[in-house]
Amino acid sequence: MSSTSPHTAPSPTGPAHDVCDDVTAEGAAWLASAETYPRSALTHWRSRPNAPAVLPCGSAFDVVSVPAVFGRRMLDRLWEEGPGSGPVAAHRGRVLLFAAPGTAQRLPALLEWEEWGAAVPSVLCHGTGDAVTVPPLTTPAKDPAKAPAKAPAEAPEADGDTPRTAPGGRLGSRWLVAPGTRHPWLPGPEVILWACVRAARSAASSAVRISIFPGGDQSAKVYDVSRRR
């Protein structure tokens, strides 16, 4: 199915500011809504704002996890050609795309049917009964005296790139598109499928091109939420 296209319904409640690493108070409330006791979760997070959290999937959101390099390609396609994305995190060499509940159940079947599905690497879908680790709500202060030890390098990914150590010392543990509202727009399975197909095509075409210029720091990409269509 090479003609897959995203639904481009706008987000009526999407935040209107440039994305940063920090989660807003409303964004934290949305994340906490996935918990059985949201107020207790918020209280705990406020006491440890620089600590990661483990959240259940299936009620407030599902999560689609892909390798870091492929995930960056998906984000590029979503923001340059599609409707944008919901919250997105990077954690331990993978990109976590927050999606509408039910996406984890439907996406595997859509990928199996899609002709480009075999070119999509290592997609993990987290839905009801699953949990994911998300980055801290705030970026740790960049104090050289308190900088943690350098994390060991991980093995290169399938397309030859190597995950980079993110600011704060945790390998790939930060928000790429931080939650900014109480009710963020979340892509459904069709939008995620479209992004997977476009990213797979991009990877296939770039594999036959040779560049004499070194690649930039892809982890430094910032996505402007105000451009969401």
Side-chain angles (χ1 to χ4, degrees):
M1 188 185 71
S2 59
S3 60
T4 307
S5 61
H7 295 281
T8 56
S11 169
T13 56
H17 62 277
D18 289 351
V19 175
C20 64
D21 288 339
D22 291 350
V23 178
T24 66
E26 289 188 346
W30 172 71
L31 289 171
S33 71
E35 294 278 13
T36 304
Y37 302 103
R39 290 185 179 179
S40 297
L42 283 173
T43 300
H44 177 70
W45 293 346
R46 290 190 185 105
S47 66
R48 301 181 61 195
N50 295 334
V54 178
L55 298 175
C57 302
S59 58
F61 52 77
D62 284 359
V63 171
V64 177
S65 171
V66 295
V69 176
F70 189 80
R72 290 196 291 266
R73 290 196 178 108
M74 288 180 65
L75 281 177
D76 287 344
R77 300 285 73 76
L78 283 166
W79 286 100
E80 293 174 7
E81 305 171 17
S85 72
V88 181
H91 183 70
R92 296 187 180 276
R94 297 185 70 86
V95 168
L96 310 179
L97 296 101
F98 285 70
T103 298
Q105 181 178 3
R106 293 189 56 197
L107 184 60
L110 293 176
L111 284 170
E112 184 176 355
W113 176 70
E114 165 63 46
E115 63 180 320
W116 279 87
V120 177
S122 182
V123 175
L124 303 178
C125 297
H126 304 286
T128 303
D130 299 326
V132 294
T133 301
V134 300
L137 300 184
T138 61
T139 304
K142 297 178 177 61
D143 184 350
K146 299 180 180 180
K150 184 178 180 180
E154 290 191 354
E157 299 197 28
D159 54 2
D161 201 355
T162 303
R164 298 176 181 269
T165 303
R170 292 183 179 275
L171 183 65
S173 185
R174 68 186 186 96
W175 290 100
L176 302 180
V177 181
T181 70
R182 187 62 178 79
H183 301 285
W185 178 80
L186 297 173
E190 294 84 2
V191 175
I192 297 294
L193 173 66
W194 176 88
C196 285
V197 170
R198 289 302 182 99
R201 287 176 174 174
S202 173
S205 62
S206 64
V208 300
R209 296 197 302 266
I210 300 177
S211 175
I212 63 174
F213 299 103
D217 183 1
Q218 297 297 324
S219 65
K221 177 84 73 171
V222 173
Y223 299 92
D224 183 358
V225 183
S226 65
R227 292 181 53 201
R228 179 181 291 138
R229 293 195 288 273

